[in-house]
Amino acid sequence: MVNSVKPGHLLLGALISISLSSHASPLLPDSLMLGVKEADPGIRDGLLENSEDYRHGFAYSLSAGWTLRPRLELNLSLDMPAITQDENRPEISGAGLAAHYYLSDGRLRPYLGAGLQHLTLEPAESGIVLPGSATGIELIGGLHFTFSPNVFGRIQASRNEAFNDDLRISQYQLILGYRFGHTPVQRQTTVMPAPEPAVVEPATEQQPVPIIEPEVIILPPDHDNDGVATASDQCPDTPPGMMVNSVGCSPFDLALTGITFETNSARLTQDSKAILDGIASDLRPFPELKIEIQAHTDDRGSAQYNLRLSQLRAESVRNYLIRKGLKSTNLIARGYGETAPKYDNNTVEGRAQNRRVELHFLASDRQ
């Protein structure tokens, strides 16, 4: 059986009509909402009873909203019993004022709220004994979805914790709303100050930009392009790409420490071969480099014997380097015997140092 139309329903329709016809007034809200609500009365220790008719009462709601800040809204709501619900269910009506705070921006916006709510409970024809009213704090949580710049929807759950009789009422609501084209911020009139007249600076004569002539630096000649000027180059014909020292000479002009031979022989020891392997690896990147391999002895023995022994030792080093990939035409072997000592032959240490092999850079055959 369907209930008859009640005066509250007429008031609900009148509010909608007035709001839609004159929303340009600054006293009217920013948005208007219609909703369908299910209310579930109970007490804090449990439901009053297990009757399904009693637990589920339905109502229509009309709400108006005012935007206080970008995320803060004030809502005034009015509830009316649903005209389509069963006559055995309790009729719930009332009003409330609550503040909503949105937790994020965008189309989908969760929100929380709190406010005061007064609900009237009428048993209608169910015969159920109910408290006459429930006035208390309403705690609110919901989800707001924007369909278009003006149309939005909400799903909302709330609980009225009544101040009297330990009563509490859980409420679940579907809401459809319309937002008008103005907000409290837009209603404010801001008077902008008149712009100050522009100050025109007098034209000044543009000064010519000085032209800075590049400084020409003439470098001294370097005929072999080794980075050392020819006037200071003690080796002015170094091959291209050859690493040189501060006076332009090859660092390969050096004594090969550790090159030894078997006693009274030109046969290289195994340790000497290992040293020559490294020397060959260093020399291979310079195919134009010409090297004189010099071998020296101490003054023990006859001069003729020492000269011949040193020549054989220089040739032994040359042949080993050729086998390791150096060009034979770039290597010259020469024995000097005891004719060019660098150390004192009167001491054991000096004689050992005079028995040496040296590599000396020679001028390359360049055009």
Side-chain angles (χ1 to χ4, degrees), residues 5 14 41 45 58 66 68 70 79 81 117 156 182 191 218 281 283 311 331 349:
V5 177
D45 295 329
F58 295 91
W66 288 264
L68 305 180
D79 296 332
Q117 185 184 48
Q156 177 174 300
H182 62 274
V191 179
I218 301 176
S281 177
L283 293 176
Q311 181 64 37
L331 300 178
E349 292 81 4

Side-chain angles (χ1 to χ4, degrees), residues 328-365:
S328 61
T329 55
N330 290 348
L331 300 178
I332 300 173
R334 181 166 297 174
Y336 287 84
E338 59 187 63
T339 61
K342 288 187 176 180
Y343 308 97
D344 187 2
N345 275 321
N346 293 321
T347 65
V348 175
E349 292 81 4
R351 289 193 295 273
Q353 290 174 313
N354 281 329
R355 297 190 295 271
R356 68 191 187 275
V357 175
E358 296 178 349
L359 301 182
H360 286 265
F361 167 73
L362 300 176
S364 60
D365 298 332

Side-chain angles (χ1 to χ4, degrees), residues 42-355:
I43 59 174
R44 291 187 178 89
D45 295 329
L47 295 175
L48 291 174
E49 60 178 54
N50 292 325
S51 170
E52 289 298 316
D53 288 341
Y54 171 72
R55 289 184 56 187
H56 302 288
F58 295 91
Y60 301 136
S61 66
L62 170 66
S63 302
W66 288 264
T67 301
L68 305 180
R69 291 191 178 183
R71 291 192 180 184
L72 185 63
E73 182 181 79
L74 184 66
N75 267 38
L76 177 64
S77 62
L78 178 65
D79 296 332
M80 297 292 174
I83 61 175
T84 56
Q85 78 169 355
D86 192 297
E87 62 184 7
N88 291 325
R89 297 182 185 276
E91 294 183 352
I92 298 176
S93 60
L97 182 65
H100 294 173
Y101 181 78
Y102 292 93
L103 302 179
S104 65
D105 298 320
R107 298 187 66 183
L108 190 63
R109 306 170 65 194
Y111 62 90
L112 298 175
L116 293 175
Q117 185 184 48
H118 174 80
L119 294 178
T120 300
L121 308 176
E122 297 182 9
E125 300 179 12
S126 63
I128 300 173
V129 178
L130 298 174
S133 63
T135 301
I137 296 176
E138 184 183 19
L139 304 177
I140 302 168
L143 195 62
H144 176 108
F145 185 82
T146 300
F147 296 106
S148 71
N150 298 102
V151 180
F152 61 89
R154 289 178 184 172
I155 301 175
Q156 177 174 300
S158 64
R159 172 173 288 187
N160 182 328
E161 294 286 348
F163 298 133
N164 57 312
D165 298 329
D166 286 335
L167 184 66
R168 57 112 177 101
I169 301 177
S170 298
Q171 303 165 76
Y172 311 95
Q173 191 169 183
L174 293 176
I175 300 170
L176 182 64
Y178 182 86
R179 185 175 302 279
F180 303 114
H182 62 274
T183 65
V185 175
Q186 292 172 327
R187 294 190 191 109
Q188 298 175 356
T189 302
T190 302
V191 179
M192 300 297 294
E196 296 181 0
V199 178
V200 179
E201 297 290 341
T204 58
E205 182 179 355
Q206 186 175 6
Q207 298 296 325
V209 179
I211 300 176
I212 301 176
E213 295 291 339
E215 183 180 359
V216 178
I217 300 176
I218 301 176
L219 298 175
D222 179 11
H223 295 301
D224 56 3
N225 297 315
D226 61 356
V228 179
T230 301
S232 304
D233 198 338
Q234 298 181 13
C235 301
D237 199 18
T238 305
M242 181 72 180
M243 181 176 63
V244 298
N245 55 22
S246 60
V247 294
C249 292
S250 167
F252 295 115
D253 292 350
L254 48 82
L256 300 183
T257 304
I259 302 298
T260 57
F261 304 86
E262 296 181 6
T263 305
N264 292 324
S265 168
R267 184 177 300 170
L268 289 163
T269 63
Q270 292 299 321
D271 292 342
S272 299
K273 292 179 180 180
I275 295 173
L276 290 176
D277 289 341
I279 295 296
S281 177
D282 292 337
L283 293 176
R284 275 194 292 270
F286 306 98
E288 296 184 8
L289 186 65
K290 290 187 177 294
I291 296 291
E292 181 182 87
I293 303 168
Q294 299 180 358
H296 302 267
T297 67
D298 58 21
D299 63 352
R300 293 302 175 96
S302 67
Q304 183 178 3
Y305 174 79
N306 288 336
L307 183 62
R308 181 173 179 277
L309 179 61
S310 64
Q311 181 64 37
L312 292 175
R313 287 179 172 177
E315 291 176 356
S316 178
V317 172
R318 176 179 181 271
N319 292 335
Y320 188 84
L321 293 176
I322 292 172
R323 290 197 298 272
K324 292 301 177 179
L326 300 187
K327 294 171 62 175
S328 61
T329 55
N330 290 348
L331 300 178
I332 300 173
R334 181 166 297 174
Y336 287 84
E338 59 187 63
T339 61
K342 288 187 176 180
Y343 308 97
D344 187 2
N345 275 321
N346 293 321
T347 65
V348 175
E349 292 81 4
R351 289 193 295 273
Q353 290 174 313
N354 281 329
R355 297 190 295 271

